């Protein structure tokens, strides 16, 4: 990995961390959701500071250029994240429907009991 | 001082009647509210059958949000202090009075501690507890012997602070944050019973997630959070 690319990784990591902290301070991001991004930023810094890690795994998997391994790692992590977010959206979707239905049914019951 | 005992209940059909009946019959001087967190079992039915004072959340929101519902209830009804009390029978109401005595001395947070005068047993869970205790010590200078105890009493100014913030759940990292904001904390010795029925919320994956969450919050993110001046 070139020095410029390693610096880029570090800058990216710190930028991500900064954006996250700002949103936590504004109470827009729940701290629990920030764990992933914190670990992600730490991983990027690790890969940049100790390029031997990427070299080692690149060698094992037969990837000629270490940079490609870094891409692979980032893409894999992001795909996993997208999937876990999809799961969460599905779950929230279900909860929202359940909530709306409950309110609607209760209101109907109330209306009917007022009539009688 | 008016105290509200907040009892979050999620799938506690086997325990909730015993716990609340004990509190209601033997300690009628304390007000309480049971908060059903969208239980999938018959918890709500049991609560209704026994005519407990309750709030029913139609969907499952998790412990943090459920406890916040209790805090909001306390604010709406003008309580001076709240106690977080487990619905599974681990916490014992006979210790409430000694915690209240401490609160009246002017403390903001009174933790019901299992290890004030007793050594900790050696287990993975206690290793986690020690780790959190150590980080608390580093970040605040305060020693908490039982940082993961779920039996905590909070003063009015803490209730007001916690009732709305999405990032201040009833967890050790919130305690660290509050101490750094100037909250006064003390511990009172209590004994805790083993859970009689039902299942604990914490399994291995959840425990690791929990530790990761709490550690990162205390050691890293906590430093960047805006402090609130409690005196205001």
């Amino acid at each position: 990995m070139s020095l410029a690319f390693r610096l880029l990784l570090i800058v990216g990591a710190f930028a991500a961390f900064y954006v996250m902290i700002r949103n936590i301070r504004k109470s827009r991001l729940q701290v629990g959701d920030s764990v992933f991004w914190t670990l992600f930023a730490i991983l990027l810094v690790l890969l940049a500071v100790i390029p031997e890690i990427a070299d080692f795994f690149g060698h094992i998997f037969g990837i000629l250029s270490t940079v490609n391994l870094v891409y692979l790692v980032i893409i894999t992590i992001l795909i996993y994240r997208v999937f876990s977010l999809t799961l969460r959206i599905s779950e929230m979707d279900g909860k929202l429907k359940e909530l709306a239905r409950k309110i609607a049914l209760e209101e109907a019951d109330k209306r009917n009991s007022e009539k009688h | 001082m008016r105290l509200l005992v907040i009892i979050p209940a999620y799938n506690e059909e086997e325990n909730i009647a015993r716990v609340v009946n004990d509190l209601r019959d033997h300690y009628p001087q304390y007000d309480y509210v049971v908060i059903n967190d969208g239980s999938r079992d018959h918890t709500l039915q049991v609560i209704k059958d026994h005519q407990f004072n309750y709030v029913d959340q139609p969907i499952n929101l998790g412990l943090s949000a459920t406890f916040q519902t209790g805090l909001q209830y306390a604010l709406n009804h003008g309580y001076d202090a709240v106690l977080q009390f487990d619905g599974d029978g681990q916490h014992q109401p006979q210790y409430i009075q000694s915690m209240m005595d401490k609160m009246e001395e002017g403390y903001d947070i009174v933790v019901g501690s299992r290890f004030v005068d007793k050594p900790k047993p050696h287990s993975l869970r206690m290793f986690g507890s020690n780790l959190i205790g150590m980080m608390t010590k580093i970040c605040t200078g305060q020693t908490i012997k039982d940082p993961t105890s779920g039996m905590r009493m909070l003063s009015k100014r803490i209730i007001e602070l916690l009732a709305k913030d999405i990032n201040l759940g009833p967890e050790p990292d919130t305690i660290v944050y509050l101490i750094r904001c100037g909250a006064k904390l003390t511990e009172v010795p209590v004994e805790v019973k083993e859970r009689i029925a039902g299942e604990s919320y914490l399994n291995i994956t959840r425990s690791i997630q929990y530790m990761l969450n709490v550690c990162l919050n205390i050691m890293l993110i906590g430093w960047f959070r805006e402090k609130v001046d409690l005196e205001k």
Side-chain angles (χ1 to χ4, degrees), chain B residues 188-202:
Chain B
V188 166
V190 300
E191 272 179 48
V192 167
K193 275 193 194 159
E194 290 295 309
R195 139 192 292 281
I196 295 174
E199 236 176 274
S200 169
Y201 175 77
L202 284 176

Side-chain angles (χ1 to χ4, degrees), chain B residues 38-54:
Chain B
S39 296
R40 297 270 168 207
D41 64 0
H42 297 104
T43 303
L44 182 63
Q45 198 51 50
V46 175
I47 292 172
K48 281 180 177 165
D49 288 347
H50 287 80
Q51 297 183 320
F52 295 147
N53 178 39
Y54 74 96

Side-chain angles (χ1 to χ4, degrees), chain B residues 160-224:
Chain B
E160 284 164 357
L161 191 59
L162 262 53
K164 294 241 166 65
D165 196 309
I166 55 166
N167 279 325
L168 295 177
E171 302 296 348
D173 44 307
T174 299
I175 302 295
V176 170
Y177 173 76
L178 291 172
I179 296 173
R180 292 177 60 212
C181 290
K184 279 177 284 177
L185 177 145
T186 189
E187 289 181 278
V188 166
V190 300
E191 272 179 48
V192 167
K193 275 193 194 159
E194 290 295 309
R195 139 192 292 281
I196 295 174
E199 236 176 274
S200 169
Y201 175 77
L202 284 176
N203 54 32
I204 292 280
T205 351
R206 285 231 179 86
S207 302
I208 293 171
Q209 256 175 14
Y210 174 84
M211 283 303 294
L212 207 62
N213 213 330
V214 170
C215 293
L216 277 177
N217 278 344
I218 295 179
M219 296 304 287
L220 196 61
I221 293 161
W223 297 107
F224 298 98

